[in-house]
Amino acid sequence: MKIQPACRKQFYTAIFTVVFITFAVSPAAQEIPFIPPVYNYTTDLYNAGNQNWAIAQGSNGVIYFGNDNGMLSYDGVNWNLHNLPNNLSVKSIYIDSHNTNERIYVGSFEEFGYFESNETNQLIYHSLRHNVEDHQFHNDEIWGIYPFNGKLYFQSFSTIFIYDGKEVRSRKPYPAVLYFFPAGEKMFAQLIGNGFCLFDGEHFHPVFTRERWNNDNVIALLPYEEDWLLVTSKNGLYRFSEEERTLTRWHISGSNELLQSTINRAIVSGDSYIFGTLNSGIFAIDKNGEQLWHIDRNNGLNNNTVLALFRDRDQTVWAALDNGISNIRTHSSLSFFEPVDSQIGPVEDILFHDNRLYLATNQGIFSFSDTDGKLFPVPGFDIQSWFIKSFGNQIFVGHNLGTSLLKDMREIRIQGAHTGGMDMKQATINGRDILLESTYTSLLVYSQDSSGNWTFSHAVEGFSDLIKNLEIDHAGNIWAGHMYKGVYRLKLDSELRKAVEIENYLSFDSTQVATYRPIKVMKLRGRIVFADGDRFFTYDDIEHKVIPFDLLNNDLPGLADTHRIIPVNDELFWFIRHKEYVLVEYSENKYVIKDRIPYSILNNPPNAGRANLLVTDDNVSYFCMNGGIGKYSFSDGQPEVKTDLQIASITFHNRNNDQLFYLDPSQKGILAYQSNNIAFRLLYPEFSKKIFQVESYLQGYDSRWLSTNGNRSAAYYNLPAGDYILYARVKDSSGKVLSTVNYSFRIQNPWYKTWWAYLIYSLIIGSLVAFLIKKHIRRIVRKKQKLFEELENRRLTQIERQEKEITTLQNEKLEAELIHKGKELASAAMMLINHSEFLKSLRESIQSLILAGKINRTEGNELLTMIGKNLPEEDEWNLFQNNFDLIHENFFRNLKERYPSLTPTDLKLCSLLRLNYSSKEIAEMLNISIRGVEAARYRLRKKLNLSETDNLVDFMIKFQ
């Protein structure tokens, strides 16, 4: 794999548990036991057994561990457990990357073989146990796998199994092998209960007897300059010259604890030797025999028993423990100092003065002693301390009760500084050099005496408030950040005794209502900078107003919650936020993030809003933490191995049978439409815990780059048919793209969009069109036929209607004629009736006159005879009634039956009313007056029981 130099000023971050080991430091703190980070992985993370026995790394960067439950793999994010057929522990691992397909050889109890990736990148186990001929397994547990002379040697404590790539044969040496030590083209061995030998592949040749190291066992053989370093379990280290066959004890200075421990494993890492013990954790020794660091259960390891050590391609150390796994970042730019024997609490400020370390904490002031290498509390300062600063040869301490000087490791209280000291800055205001201090209530001014020492002068008059920190600009404006209520701008008089200008900014956003909110005041490259949590602002001393700091807002969006800015030099600056330290570089009028240290990687992070940082003259940065401090060194370190982004697996889900399948990442995938749910798991084996962002973009589907989930996976569901390309990339904290990968695949059309489906569709559509055309023609024929029938029916209906109308007209004409004739008949009949009645009345009158003797009888009889001849023989009224009934359907008969009280006069009136004669006509015909007619009508209405609203004429006409 291609090697590239590591980026200068790069910080290696961490997650999980951060622990500490002793590490070389800068001259300003040469004796302080700073320690690089160690990341512990427990069973809660990898979900397997406690004990881990072996470690190896594949060519793709994945780390493999022999675990009680099988073989574990770890890619920096995902843990996976790979079981053996016997479901027992893996005691040894060796990875052979020389073949086309990388093989991971493993050894277990009466079982050994190898894992190999198939075409879909899935590890498949192949057992070699059954390849062994003429061997009866009996408690053979494979504790080591060693390559030598083109063969692999699987070593148990009784048998050696030799695999040449095809066959496996066994050997039972006596004494048996305890350890093999590959050494270039040779291999040495430590025999059980015997000496140190050279192994030629078949036989063992003695080199040293075990008496040379007090009957102890050699547990490691490490390169040392032109010779070898023999590591024994309990009897120390020896320099072994193979050429001269000499053995010289190698003395270690300052590491008696290692010599008193039982060494179980040892490796080389860079210029140092790493020793894992059974009872005292891990030690690191440089090639001069000086102890570099020691880590055990007291300062970081989960367990003191180290079962295996491994150096990965990044030159960091992995330790397989009796309980868990640890990764020691020996070449990290970050290291820590956390005193085990002192509970110092949260660190508020750091000071190096006269080659001594001072820490201001909530428990007081602590100092690191050069003599015994321990941190101890300074007498008199057992109180919450906010800052510790040196000006010249004086050390000032701001604490909860005021401000004190620290001199000769004792406290000298400053008279006049009676309330808690929060911050102190040196400044030149109105041409005078002063120290300005903020406290719980006042601003205090210090001036120099004739000897150059700073002494308390006075408190500023006209201003009193709770000020957390101060900054002074070049114009002499004092910017005082309130703990809660914004920021003040103060201007002092010429004597620096009184505030003559006071301006309070509660908010810089004119669109918001001014409320109590903290505004952080800082200084960046000589400019005053404010941060309100949303944006950065600065002071325009020409316009005398606060304006948005557009350069910072554009270059560093999201960092406006910064509460401190600490310069490293003219180009690098630390932005301290509520949850991280951010290293920012200024170059070519642009601010760029270079590194991030999130608090989450720290075992004891600082309290939010109270983190602080110190940069020394050699550009080393020291972080305040809770219970300790961190150190960031800008060094080139080890070359960084480029890590490639890879596709670990591609899976798709078949919805028809609910099964999961894998695709070959090296070939274009072709998926059926029912398998259009596809998931990609990306692999970026990076263990430094830097901040990375892995993103994916599916061309043909996505509209933008999307972040993968916590497992570095991207899933797509119900994708439409078509061609796709998945692009994936990994970016660092500054947004730089570190590696990319892509994969092409196609989702086939569903069956209903294939060519034969379209052919069927064409046939169906053609048949349907023919059917519809035929149906349409039939419908047209039926419609025309129906229209013809409707027209014929209309014609016949019209003819019938016309005939009916003619018949109706004829009937109406006949009825009119009948009525007319009826009226004529009635008129004639009434005239006859009236004539008869007149003659009868005249006869009766003549008879009366004859009887009265007024008329001659003879003449009277002649008149009577004449009248009698003119009277009809039949009753005209009866004849009228009979004829009227014939014409009007028994009108009189029905009327007399229904209303028997009607008189002949009433009946006459009824007949005339039916013939629709008016009252005047009736009066003339009946020879009575109109009033008489009305009276007769009234009487008739009463007899017929008609109401006033009923029409008498209509009643007679409609009566049947």
Side-chain angles (χ1 to χ4, degrees):
M1 183 169 292
K2 188 177 180 179
I3 306 296
Q4 293 184 350
C7 296
R8 185 175 178 85
K9 307 173 184 176
Q10 181 65 41
F11 157 64
Y12 299 97
T13 57
I15 57 175
F16 307 117
T17 308
V18 177
V19 295
F20 312 98
I21 54 178
T22 308
F23 191 72
V25 296
S26 62
Q30 192 168 358
E31 302 299 329
I32 302 173
F34 279 99
I35 51 182
V38 174
Y39 316 136
N40 287 323
Y41 304 91
T42 63
T43 57
D44 293 335
L45 293 173
Y46 57 73
N47 292 319
N50 288 327
Q51 288 182 312
N52 296 278
W53 301 94
I55 312 172
Q57 186 174 31
S59 60
N60 60 357
V62 175
I63 302 290
Y64 298 92
F65 302 90
N67 182 266
D68 269 350
N69 293 353
M71 184 182 74
L72 278 172
S73 64
Y74 180 51
D75 62 8
V77 173
N78 301 296
W79 291 90
N80 291 290
L81 179 65
H82 310 272
N83 297 109
L84 298 186
N86 58 9
N87 288 318
L88 295 179
S89 62
V90 170
K91 291 298 197 300
S92 55
I93 301 178
Y94 169 75
I95 298 180
D96 183 3
S97 301
H98 296 93
N99 294 327
T100 304
N101 291 329
E102 183 176 79
R103 289 183 176 183
I104 305 171
Y105 290 93
V106 296
S108 180
F109 179 77
E110 297 185 353
E111 173 65 46
F112 60 95
Y114 60 91
F115 286 94
E116 191 173 42
S117 295
N118 62 10
E119 65 276 4
T120 63
N121 276 0
Q122 305 306 301
L123 288 178
I124 307 299
Y125 182 72
H126 305 271
S127 177
L128 296 175
R129 181 182 189 277
H130 303 292
N131 293 18
V132 183
E133 298 180 358
D134 301 327
H135 178 78
Q136 183 68 35
F137 282 88
H138 180 68
N139 297 329
D140 289 302
E141 192 155 22
I142 308 302
W143 288 95
I145 305 172
Y146 307 94
F148 183 59
N149 288 340
K151 300 176 182 179
L152 282 183
Y153 291 79
F154 296 83
Q155 172 249 325
S156 75
F157 289 153
S158 62
T159 309
I160 302 173
F161 300 95
I162 306 170
Y163 177 55
D164 61 6
K166 295 181 180 179
E167 298 178 349
V168 180
R169 60 187 178 89
S170 62
R171 281 197 57 196
K172 281 186 171 292
Y174 184 83
V177 176
L178 181 64
Y179 300 110
F180 275 122
F181 308 113
E185 296 180 355
K186 298 179 181 179
M187 189 156 70
F188 294 89
Q190 171 66 57
L191 304 182
I192 297 177
N194 208 292
F196 181 76
C197 301
L198 178 65
F199 180 61
D200 61 10
E202 294 292 335
H203 304 93
F204 296 91
H205 306 281
V207 178
F208 295 112
T209 63
R210 59 188 300 108
E211 286 75 20
R212 295 293 300 267
W213 36 77
N214 295 328
N215 288 318
D216 201 358
N217 292 315
V218 176
I219 60 95
L221 182 66
L222 308 176
Y224 183 87
E225 297 178 353
E226 300 298 326
D227 297 330
W228 299 97
L229 187 67
L230 267 70
V231 183
T232 66
S233 178
K234 299 180 180 179
N235 202 50
L237 312 177
Y238 296 85
R239 183 170 178 173
F240 166 46
S241 174
E242 182 182 358
E243 182 179 351
E244 299 177 0
R245 291 295 178 102
T246 58
L247 195 68
T248 307
R249 180 177 289 274
W250 191 49
H251 295 282
I252 301 174
S253 60
S255 188
N256 293 329
E257 193 173 1
L258 173 61
L259 299 178
Q260 295 171 2
S261 303
T262 301
I263 302 175
N264 189 43
R265 294 290 185 268
I267 62 171
V268 177
S269 177
D271 294 331
S272 60
Y273 296 98
I274 312 298
F275 302 94
T277 70
L278 292 178
N279 51 3
S280 302
I282 304 174
F283 295 82
I285 307 296
D286 66 17
K287 290 193 174 182
N288 295 319
E290 299 289 339
Q291 179 172 308
L292 295 176
W293 46 262
H294 171 217
I295 177 173
D296 60 10
R297 188 177 177 86
N298 291 327
N299 61 355
L301 286 184
N302 285 336
N303 187 268
N304 281 341
T305 301
V306 180
L307 301 180
L309 291 172
F310 178 76
R311 183 190 73 248
D312 66 13
R313 64 186 186 185
D314 293 329
Q315 304 299 311
T316 64
V317 176
W318 293 84
L321 306 177
D322 197 47
N323 183 10
I325 299 168
S326 293
N327 179 218
I328 306 168
R329 308 300 299 180
T330 54
H331 301 289
S332 172
S333 296
L334 185 70
S335 57
F336 303 94
F337 168 57
E338 185 180 47
V340 178
D341 52 356
S342 299
Q343 298 300 320
I344 64 175
V347 177
E348 305 288 349
D349 202 359
I350 306 171
L351 174 66
F352 284 102
H353 187 76
D354 290 340
N355 293 324
R356 181 180 288 271
L357 170 67
Y358 297 94
L359 302 179
T361 78
N362 73 342
Q363 304 294 316
I365 302 298
F366 290 81
S367 178
F368 184 80
S369 171
D370 294 333
T371 56
D372 56 9
K374 292 183 178 181
L375 199 69
F376 65 92
V378 177
F381 284 100
D382 53 346
I383 191 172
Q384 168 75 63
S385 299
W386 296 113
F387 70 80
I388 181 167
K389 298 178 182 293
S390 64
F391 299 96
N393 292 322
Q394 294 173 283
I395 299 176
F396 289 83
V397 177
H399 49 75
N400 207 34
L401 297 180
T403 308
S404 300
L405 287 171
L406 193 159
K407 186 176 181 180
D408 298 331
M409 300 307 293
R410 62 186 181 90
E411 180 205 13
I412 301 176
R413 187 66 59 87
I414 297 176
Q415 299 300 320
H418 302 299
T419 58
M422 299 293 292
D423 191 16
M424 182 177 283
K425 293 286 173 36
Q426 185 173 0
T428 300
I429 302 178
N430 295 340
R432 295 177 57 185
D433 293 332
I434 63 169
L435 294 182
L436 187 65
E437 182 183 15
S438 63
T439 69
Y440 293 168
T441 58
S442 306
L443 295 182
L444 307 181
V445 176
Y446 296 78
S447 59
Q448 285 182 303
D449 59 17
S450 58
S451 61
N453 290 326
W454 295 100
T455 60
F456 174 78
S457 176
H458 60 273
V460 174
E461 300 175 5
F463 178 79
S464 177
D465 214 331
L466 176 59
I467 302 303
K468 184 177 182 181
N469 67 306
L470 296 167
E471 293 292 349
I472 299 93
D473 64 21
H474 67 278
N477 292 305
I478 300 171
W479 296 94
H482 193 279
M483 185 78 74
Y484 308 106
K485 297 189 301 184
V487 64
Y488 287 95
R489 185 187 67 84
L490 306 175
K491 199 77 168 171
L492 303 184
D493 62 6
S494 59
E495 298 298 323
L496 307 183
R497 289 193 168 273
K498 184 177 181 180
V500 294
E501 292 183 21
I502 302 177
E503 189 174 5
N504 184 212
Y505 297 88
L506 295 178
S507 174
F508 296 137
D509 192 343
S510 59
T511 63
Q512 294 181 351
V513 178
T515 57
Y516 290 163
R517 61 183 300 182
I519 297 177
K520 306 305 179 183
V521 56
M522 300 156 283
K523 185 176 284 188
L524 177 64
R525 301 183 69 246
R527 295 189 65 175
I528 299 297
V529 176
F530 310 98
D532 65 356
D534 297 323
R535 288 188 297 169
F536 288 104
F537 297 85
T538 188
Y539 184 68
D540 187 341
D541 50 9
I542 298 177
E543 298 292 335
H544 301 291
K545 64 179 182 179
V546 176
I547 60 174
F549 200 152
D550 293 332
L551 182 60
L552 280 184
N553 292 323
N554 293 332
D555 292 347
L556 304 175
L559 264 64
D561 60 348
T562 299
H563 62 87
R564 291 182 193 269
I565 298 177
I566 308 296
V568 177
N569 50 42
D570 292 338
E571 298 176 351
L572 289 173
F573 306 88
W574 287 105
F575 282 59
I576 305 178
R577 305 177 64 199
H578 288 288
K579 294 184 178 180
E580 65 175 344
Y581 295 98
V582 182
L583 183 63
V584 176
E585 182 181 36
Y586 178 77
S587 178
E588 298 180 355
N589 199 34
K590 186 177 182 63
Y591 290 94
V592 178
I593 295 176
K594 300 298 292 183
D595 230 329
R596 293 178 184 265
I597 305 175
Y599 295 170
S600 59
I601 72 168
L602 307 177
N603 188 39
N604 293 299
N607 295 335
R610 290 169 59 178
N612 200 358
L613 185 147
L614 172 71
V615 178
T616 57
D617 294 337
D618 54 358
N619 287 347
V620 177
S621 303
Y622 296 89
F623 304 100
C624 294
M625 301 196 312
N626 197 336
I629 60 175
K631 187 185 73 166
Y632 187 95
S633 300
F634 296 98
S635 59
D636 289 331
Q638 293 290 324
E640 182 177 340
V641 178
K642 184 180 184 298
T643 301
D644 293 323
L645 183 64
Q646 307 161 55
I647 296 178
S649 66
I650 307 171
T651 58
F652 65 91
H653 178 258
N654 190 307
R655 291 175 292 178
N656 292 341
N657 52 25
D658 201 30
Q659 290 185 345
L660 193 67
F661 299 93
Y662 290 85
L663 287 175
D664 184 354
S666 63
Q667 298 182 2
K668 181 176 181 177
I670 306 296
L671 285 79
Y673 183 74
Q674 61 267 25
S675 302
N676 60 352
N677 295 334
I678 187 169
F680 301 87
R681 187 171 69 83
L682 300 172
L683 177 67
Y684 191 70
E686 223 292 334
F687 309 98
S688 67
K689 312 309 176 187
K690 299 176 185 177
I691 297 177
F692 297 107
Q693 186 173 8
V694 179
E695 299 177 328
S696 65
Y697 170 75
L698 185 60
Q699 181 178 309
Y701 187 80
D702 287 330
S703 59
R704 58 189 177 87
W705 287 90
L706 301 174
S707 296
T708 57
N709 61 22
N711 295 326
R712 291 180 181 163
S713 298
Y716 296 90
Y717 303 98
N718 299 321
L719 288 174
D723 291 309
Y724 299 92
I725 302 177
L726 178 83
Y727 293 95
R729 67 187 183 187
V730 58
K731 299 192 300 183
D732 61 14
S733 59
S734 64
K736 178 184 176 182
V737 176
L738 302 178
S739 182
T740 62
V741 69
N742 62 76
Y743 176 77
S744 301
F745 65 98
R746 172 184 293 174
I747 294 183
Q748 295 177 324
N749 286 321
W751 64 267
Y752 50 82
K753 288 187 177 181
T754 56
W755 67 267
W756 53 267
Y758 286 121
L759 178 61
I760 295 175
Y761 297 153
S762 300
L763 295 175
I764 293 175
I765 292 173
S767 301
L768 181 62
V769 169
F771 171 76
L772 292 176
I773 291 174
K774 185 177 181 180
K775 185 176 181 181
H776 181 64
I777 293 174
R778 289 180 178 178
R779 185 168 63 250
I780 292 175
V781 172
R782 286 197 301 267
K783 185 176 181 181
K784 290 185 177 181
Q785 185 177 357
K786 183 177 180 181
L787 180 60
F788 174 77
E789 292 176 353
E790 288 179 354
L791 292 175
E792 182 66 17
N793 290 334
R794 287 180 186 177
R795 188 181 67 81
L796 294 175
T797 302
Q798 186 174 3
I799 292 173
E800 183 179 359
R801 185 171 64 252
Q802 289 175 350
E803 290 178 351
K804 287 183 179 180
E805 289 177 353
I806 293 172
T807 303
T808 302
L809 290 174
Q810 290 176 348
N811 290 338
E812 289 177 352
K813 183 178 181 182
L814 292 174
E815 184 177 358
E817 291 177 354
L818 182 61
I819 292 173
H820 178 69
K821 296 298 182 181
K823 285 186 176 182
E824 290 180 350
L825 175 62
S827 298
M830 288 301 172
M831 290 180 63
L832 290 175
I833 292 171
N834 289 338
H835 178 69
S836 297
E837 288 180 352
F838 172 74
L839 291 178
K840 288 179 182 179
S841 175
L842 182 61
R843 187 177 62 180
E844 290 177 357
S845 297
I846 293 173
Q847 288 176 350
S848 298
L849 291 174
I850 293 173
L851 291 177
K854 295 181 179 181
I855 299 176
N856 185 285
R857 181 176 292 278
T858 302
E859 294 176 352
N861 287 332
E862 290 179 358
L863 290 171
L864 292 174
T865 301
M866 188 181 299
I867 292 170
K869 290 180 180 179
N870 288 288
L871 284 173
E873 296 180 358
E874 295 184 8
D875 190 351
E876 288 85 351
W877 174 245
N878 289 332
L879 183 61
F880 174 77
Q881 287 188 14
N882 292 333
N883 290 331
F884 198 90
D885 279 343
L886 289 174
I887 297 172
H888 293 280
E889 299 179 352
N890 297 321
F891 174 75
F892 285 113
R893 183 181 299 175
N894 294 336
L895 195 61
K896 285 189 290 184
E897 288 178 357
R898 194 173 300 177
Y899 303 101
S901 61
L902 296 177
T903 63
T905 303
D906 294 333
L907 292 174
K908 292 179 183 177
L909 179 61
C910 290
S911 64
L912 295 176
L913 290 173
R914 184 176 178 89
L915 293 174
N916 201 18
Y917 279 109
S918 65
S919 297
K920 181 179 179 181
E921 291 173 333
I922 293 173
E924 292 176 353
M925 295 178 67
L926 296 181
N927 199 21
I928 60 177
S929 64
I930 294 176
R931 180 180 293 276
V933 174
E934 295 297 331
R937 289 172 68 115
Y938 176 76
R939 288 191 299 272
L940 180 61
R941 183 183 294 276
K942 288 292 185 181
K943 291 180 181 181
L944 296 178
N945 296 322
L946 297 178
S947 64
E948 294 180 359
T949 60
D950 293 331
N951 190 290
L952 184 58
V953 175
D954 290 341
F955 177 78
M956 290 303 170
I957 293 173
K958 297 177 180 179
F959 183 80
Q960 292 180 353

